[in-house]
Amino acid sequence: MMPFPGGIDANANATLLFSLAAAVIYAFSLGMPPRLSQSAARTLAVAMLAVLVVQQGGPWLLVAALGASAVGDAFLSRDGEKAFLGGTASFLAAHGLYVVLFLRAGGGLGLLSAEPWRAAIVLAMIVSALAMLFALWRRIGPALRLPIGIHAAALLGMGIAALTLNSVGVVGGVVLLILSDGLHAVEKFLLPAISPHRIWVRHAVWALYYVGQLAITLGFLLG
């Protein structure tokens, strides 16, 4: 069963499979030295989700958020502080676009106080974000503290905005993105350079991130 009308050769289904294939190829390349083909696979995995949204006439804000995420992926597929800052800026833009998208599509911030479980999740997100920043603060240089702090605030805003929606798929996807980002920070700044855990953490970061983007995309297109 394909998620969209038509068989495997229908444009939407073919685009989705192309995205999945690129994500799997990138996953198998993790741990190898950075190469252009690796960067292309990572970038295409999410870029093709943006193409899928265009094909299905989905929200333009979702197209823009996925596009900005794909640019961030292109940056983060390379090594170095400049690439990291470029990726951080791109994902900051993506998170901002997601915030606007979720608030426009959701039931309003009043839901957070009207339904206690939503408020409880918001509180858990705030506590988790502060704990992560506390753990990172002494490990990162002064030049990175402001961009990482802004990035954490944007992630928190995206999580809060997502909780105004009634889509399990979209909310679950956002939670996966937040978990992926937290694991990425642990891998980059907290794990020792020779830690044997780096390989599985990198795979987990990618899996959580891609499945999160996929869940958000399908949540809007199929929900």
Side-chain angles (χ1 to χ4, degrees), residues 105-188:
L109 293 173
L111 278 177
L112 303 181
S113 56
E115 300 182 17
W117 68 269
R118 296 179 192 265
I121 295 177
V122 170
L123 180 60
M125 286 180 175
I126 293 172
V127 171
S128 298
L130 291 175
M132 178 60 73
L133 284 175
F134 181 79
L136 291 175
W137 211 247
R138 294 183 180 180
R139 300 290 189 95
I140 57 179
L144 291 178
R145 287 176 178 171
L146 180 60
I148 286 178
I150 294 173
H151 183 73
L155 269 177
L156 182 59
M158 183 175 67
I160 293 172
L163 284 167
T164 67
L165 297 165
N166 289 315
S167 171
V168 174
V170 175
V171 173
V174 170
V175 170
L176 292 179
L177 289 186
I178 293 173
L179 290 174
S180 172
D181 198 86
L183 267 182
H184 181 249
V186 169
E187 187 266 329
K188 186 168 184 65

Side-chain angles (χ1 to χ4, degrees), residues 68-123:
S69 297
V71 172
D73 287 326
F75 276 116
L76 292 185
S77 66
R78 315 304 295 176
D79 290 330
E81 187 170 301
K82 289 184 178 179
F84 177 75
L85 289 174
T88 299
S90 299
F91 280 112
L92 179 62
H95 297 153
L97 289 164
Y98 272 136
V99 168
V100 177
L101 172 64
F102 298 157
L103 290 178
R104 288 181 61 175
L109 293 173
L111 278 177
L112 303 181
S113 56
E115 300 182 17
W117 68 269
R118 296 179 192 265
I121 295 177
V122 170
L123 180 60

